[in-house]
Amino acid sequence: MTEYGIWTENDGGFTEHDLYSLQAANERLAEIIRESDDPDADREDLRVVELCPDHEGQPKDGCEECNEEYDDEADEDPPDDDA
Ligand SMILES: [Zn+2]
């Protein structure tokens, strides 16, 4: 099941998650903006992001733990600079 969260750019993390549809996430985001005292700032800061299915609390695009795994694989196959 795909999980969505509300990502806050200012904090660099999720302020909300456990949202299991894009619609639910967008509704929650609209609710947060409605309740906020500073809606303009929040519109810049907050966005709906899909969570990494393998790692809790990480965005699917740009998951730090997934990226580390990919980096390890890349290290085993160094670029051929002598060509
Ligand atoms: Zn991940």
Side-chain angles (χ1 to χ4, degrees), residues 18-63:
D18 293 331
L19 299 160
Y20 293 103
S21 77
L22 197 54
Q23 191 187 351
N26 280 321
E27 283 173 4
R28 184 67 190 123
L29 176 60
E31 204 174 297
I32 292 170
I33 290 171
R34 254 202 321 273
E35 290 170 356
S36 172
D37 293 331
D38 193 359
D40 289 337
D42 281 347
R43 276 195 198 91
E44 292 290 311
D45 175 41
L46 299 172
R47 60 196 164 96
V48 171
V49 169
E50 194 175 330
L51 270 81
C52 177
D54 298 324
H55 302 110
E56 205 174 320
Q58 293 282 342
K60 186 184 176 192
D61 295 325
C63 171

